[in-house]
Every structure is written in C-alpha cells, then in structure tokens.
Amino acid sequence: LDQVGKEESIFTSVKYKCGTDFLGGECTDDDSIPSTNNTGSDDGGNRGRNTGFLDSITDVGKEIGDGLNEVGKDIGNGVNNLGDWVGWNGHSSDKDHTSIDQAVASANDVDLVVICIGEEAYAEKPGDIRSPYLPLGQMELVRRMRNQYPDKAILLVYFGGRARLLEETPQLANAVVLGFLAGPHAGQALVDLVTGQFSPSARLPITYPLASDGGGSPYFHTISDQCTKGEGILPHYEYAQCDVQWPFGYGLSYASFSYSNLAVSGNVVEGITVTAHVENKGAMAAAEAVMVFTFDDFRLSTPEYKRLRGVQKVWLEPNQLIHLEFTIPAEDFKFVGPHDDRHYILDPTMSFWVGIGPDTDCRADPTNQLCKHVEPATSASTNFSPSCQIACDLLMDRSHSCSSQIGLASTASCLSLCQDSSGRPMDWASVGMDGWGWNYVDCLESIVWGFQQQNQQQSAP
C-alpha cells in the first residue's frame, strides 16, 4: 500500500530483460530499454531472440508476482489494523479497547473535536431504509466524547442524502454542519469553513425532523396539522405546532444581519410589492438569503401555516445596507378551492400577513415589526363569482368568435349576465352553486379548447 499513488511503484520499476521486446527490438545485458534495431533474420537468430523474449516475460511476471505478494501482505496488515481499531472479527481479543474508546482517547490533546456521522455511499434501491435512526454506535460516540470532555469544543458534521434523526447529539455539540452529499472535496470545504476562510450562508431546503413521525414537515403544512402536547387538564388534548430539529430556511452565519423598514403595497388582485432594508452588522463579509413568506388569515380551502413567496441571495460587506424589492404577482395567490379539483381561483376577499426572514412567524406574533398585513381587495359581500370569472375569460378569448355571436361586448357585460342569471345574491359562501356554475365552465372549456386545437391544425404547415 505504501506504493499507491507514487510515481515509482512496483509496476513502473520493473525493468526490461535482455532479449526482444514486444516490438521486436534488441537489447543488451545492461537492463537498458531495448532499441528498435531489428537486424538479422536467420532462423537461429530468431530462435535466440524468441528464447530471450520468453525469459524476459518470465522474469517480468516473477517480479510482478513478487510485488503483488507484497501488496497483498500490506493489505492484510491494513485489514488487521482496521480490525484492531473497530474490535471486529476477533482482532481485538487481546486488547481492552474498542473503536469508540480509541477515538475518545485520541481527542485528549486537541482543542477541537470534529465528529463526522452519517450514511454510507448508496444509490437508488440499495439506499432504501426502514428506520430514520442512525446506527447506535454513531450516537454513542458523540455521547462518550461529550462525557469524557465536558468543556471541549465539539463540531458535529452530518453527511448523508436525507434527513436522519440525530436524537440529542446536536445538544451535545457546540456546532452542527449539515453537509448532506458534499462531494469529493468536502474535506477541504469543511476545513475552510471551520477556520473562517468563508462564512456559511446556506438555508435548509427542508424541515429537518425531530421525531420519526415527521411532525411539522413539510414547512407549508396546513394550519390544522398539529401535534398534541400532553399538558393541560386532559392529557394529549392541548394542540400546538410540532417541534422540529430545525425549521425550513434555518441557517447560521459568522456575520450578523438585520432587517428593517418592511413595507407592502397592493392586494391579491393586483399583486403585491414587498420592500425592506437588509444590513450586515457583523465584522465579516458574507452572503445572506433573504426570504419572504405569507400567512393567510383564512381561505375557502384550508390554508398552509406559511408559504414561501420569494428569496434573494445578496452579498454584503461589513456595515453595508441595501434596499431589496420583491414582486409577487396575483397569479401566485390562486388556489384550488372546494368547488372542484381542476380550476384555480383567486379570492379577492382574502387578507393575509407578509413576513420577512425565515424565523419570522406572523401567526404567533402579528405585532412583529417584520410583519405587515394586507387587506382584502374587496369586501366579503361583493357580488363576485369565480365560476363566472373563468367562464367569461373563456368566452372573451380571441381565439374564437363565441363572444360576438352571443352579443358580449366586454368581460364586464359577460360577468353581469352570468351574475344576474343566478337568481340569488352571490357571495363566497355559495361558491360552486352560483351564476352559470362549474358544469357550464367545463362545457365551455371543451368547446374553446376544441376551437384552439382546430386553429393550430389549420395554421400548421
């Protein structure tokens, strides 16, 4: 093994022997590389050269064989040493330590202990698991290290392709790095991170679970998706948000960022514009991922606890302040309502909160300065029907002449005709039963889409 990676290995150091090389070249007895001077072609000369060639192959094969034997011995010794380290296959029968004991002892004279835990390499089906827990030995290593060195700094690094449960180990470490699948240069990146060559700036793209039931995941779970606390007058009858290891968007930095001057304009019909100031108050230049969320007050279908609406990553020097602007179009506020499962609708009576920053929770603390409320575009009593809106959008489409054939001059006149046909006041409580209704919308879609397909076929070369 000591030859691996060296320019001069057992294979490159094998020298030519006198005789004839594979190209028919001749050589002398000084072990030099043979020339390509292939003179003399009598039978005796050929027999001599052939004999030398066979001798050369035999000698080379012997040296390669001897070299491989040495490599085999080195590999065997390495396996034995590995066995001694992990206490495997009886190799540690004459020793009183295990791999955890030896790892803990090796950290006696260091200032920082880096413990890497996680998964082995895998892909596709072989990576299937039935339990989210890591091997017990990995957890025990962290516990033993902390028990042995209560005041020593411990950095816990997780490498793996998914979120495995870390149990109480994050509380036993001074810092945690989630490396996930970091690639072949992960070691150097980790060294640069630990030594402060750059500041971390990543945000978690997932909610990292705390328990095996996955409670609290994903981050945009419905507001009714809660856990029980086991407190109060009756056990397990008090509801609360599920505890997680780290929430979606969580991430630390060597810098310190602050947000201020949050402002929001617009509504769900017009779309909204969000502006804010972001400042680096730390002593180190770093990147910051600025995230904007919304929190619906209500919705005809159960709303999410919160929803990511925009993210911008910016680089800030120490004490630098910048102005950021986010534009969220009305299209982003559409949702599939209780009417059917095929049409997105926009509710102009919706009100909601806008929060900036991954840690801002406008449901739990609406008085937070990083939260702003957006009022409805119209009152709840407004005579508005989503089925009428979609039907009129279809009828007024310019790919056909339906609107002119039935005398509809504008979208407004179409909406008025649809709403007047209801025979009763229309509001959001009667969604799906007002105006021309969703069955009429389905019928219109089949006709309009048929016209569009016909037009495409006619315009095709």
Side-chain angles (χ1 to χ4, degrees):
L1 288 180
D2 60 348
Q3 298 290 328
V4 175
K6 293 184 178 180
E7 293 183 0
E8 288 296 326
S9 68
I10 59 170
F11 302 106
T12 60
S13 62
V14 173
K15 298 180 179 180
Y16 287 92
K17 296 299 180 181
C18 186
T20 307
D21 71 352
F22 296 101
L23 296 178
E26 297 178 352
C27 68
T28 62
D29 290 332
D30 59 358
D31 290 340
S32 62
I33 296 177
S35 69
T36 57
N37 180 21
N38 189 11
T39 61
S41 58
D42 61 277
D43 292 340
N46 284 334
R47 285 195 298 269
R49 281 195 293 274
N50 289 339
T51 301
F53 173 74
L54 295 176
D55 291 341
S56 175
I57 291 295
T58 301
D59 292 339
V60 170
K62 182 176 183 301
E63 291 204 20
I64 291 178
D66 292 342
L68 289 177
N69 287 335
E70 292 300 321
V71 171
K73 292 178 182 179
D74 288 338
I75 292 176
N77 292 334
V79 171
N80 289 335
N81 291 336
L82 178 63
D84 290 340
W85 175 271
V86 300
W88 161 72
N89 201 25
H91 287 290
S92 61
S93 58
D94 59 340
K95 298 180 176 61
D96 58 358
H97 65 75
T98 66
S99 60
I100 293 180
D101 293 329
Q102 191 166 346
V104 172
S106 67
N108 185 59
D109 299 323
V110 301
D111 297 321
L112 171 66
V113 179
V114 179
I115 304 177
C116 296
I117 61 175
E119 302 180 305
E120 72 282 3
Y122 62 86
E124 299 179 352
K125 187 65 177 178
D128 286 1
I129 56 174
R130 301 191 65 182
S131 171
Y133 292 94
L134 285 168
L136 297 178
Q138 298 190 27
M139 302 295 99
E140 180 63 19
L141 172 61
V142 181
R143 297 185 188 106
R144 289 275 303 278
M145 194 71 74
R146 175 50 72 203
N147 290 337
Q148 182 68 25
Y149 308 108
D151 300 322
K152 195 179 291 291
I154 295 178
L155 172 64
L156 184 65
V157 183
Y158 171 74
F159 290 121
R162 56 201 150 197
R164 302 290 291 269
L165 297 184
L166 303 179
E167 303 180 66
E168 83 278 15
T169 56
Q171 285 69 48
L172 301 178
N174 298 85
V176 179
V177 173
L178 295 178
F180 290 113
L181 296 178
H185 298 291
Q188 185 59 54
L190 184 61
V191 169
D192 292 344
L193 180 66
V194 172
T195 56
Q197 301 301 309
F198 67 91
S199 173
S201 61
R203 297 287 186 187
L204 264 181
I206 60 171
T207 298
Y208 205 103
L210 180 65
S212 58
D213 64 354
S217 300
Y219 86 94
F220 55 93
H221 59 270
T222 62
I223 57 174
S224 58
D225 184 4
Q226 297 181 318
C227 290
T228 55
K229 294 179 64 174
E231 300 174 1
I233 299 176
L234 294 175
H236 308 297
Y237 276 80
E238 186 173 354
Y239 298 156
Q241 289 299 307
C242 300
D243 293 329
V244 298
Q245 189 72 67
W246 296 289
F248 170 80
Y250 185 81
L252 301 179
S253 172
Y254 293 150
S256 176
F257 296 94
S258 68
Y259 303 154
S260 62
N261 292 351
L262 175 65
V264 181
S265 60
N267 52 53
V268 293
V269 175
E270 303 169 353
I272 65 172
T273 299
V274 181
T275 59
H277 289 164
V278 182
E279 183 178 5
N280 181 359
K281 293 190 173 182
M284 183 177 185
E288 171 73 345
V290 183
M291 310 172 79
V292 172
F293 295 86
T294 59
F295 305 76
D296 294 345
D297 285 327
F298 70 93
R299 202 171 65 197
L300 291 172
S301 58
T302 306
E304 304 87 7
Y305 190 85
K306 66 177 182 179
R307 195 66 181 257
L308 179 66
R309 297 298 185 180
V311 58
Q312 293 185 38
K313 196 160 190 177
V314 294
W315 178 270
L316 293 177
E317 298 294 330
N319 302 316
Q320 183 181 1
L321 182 147
I322 62 173
H323 176 84
L324 288 183
E325 179 175 306
F326 296 82
T327 300
I328 306 173
E331 189 73 20
D332 288 1
F333 293 105
K334 289 185 176 181
F335 61 94
V336 176
H339 46 281
D340 67 6
D341 59 358
R342 298 188 306 280
H343 298 94
Y344 282 88
I345 63 174
L346 186 65
D347 182 355
T349 68
M350 280 179 55
S351 61
F352 55 92
W353 291 88
V354 174
I356 189 168
D359 302 325
T360 302
D361 189 341
C362 298
R363 292 193 187 278
D365 183 16
T367 64
N368 191 326
Q369 294 299 309
L370 299 181
C371 295
K372 292 293 182 182
H373 195 254
V374 178
E375 299 298 329
T378 184
S379 66
S381 60
T382 299
N383 192 17
F384 181 83
S385 165
S387 62
C388 286
Q389 183 67 58
I390 294 178
C392 289
D393 287 343
L394 290 166
L395 285 171
M396 301 306 294
D397 190 284
R398 295 184 179 182
S399 64
H400 56 80
S401 59
C402 292
S403 58
S404 60
Q405 292 181 23
I406 59 179
L408 294 175
S410 65
T411 300
S413 62
C414 179
L415 288 172
S416 178
L417 179 64
C418 178
Q419 293 165 0
D420 291 343
S421 68
S422 175
R424 61 178 184 275
M426 288 184 294
D427 55 43
W428 282 91
S430 59
V431 152
M433 299 179 294
D434 52 0
W436 294 328
W438 291 105
N439 288 336
Y440 184 70
V441 170
D442 291 339
C443 180
L444 280 177
E445 285 177 336
S446 64
I447 295 173
V448 172
W449 293 343
F451 281 136
Q452 292 174 345
Q453 185 177 11
Q454 182 180 13
N455 293 337
Q456 292 173 358
Q457 291 174 348
Q458 292 176 350
S459 61

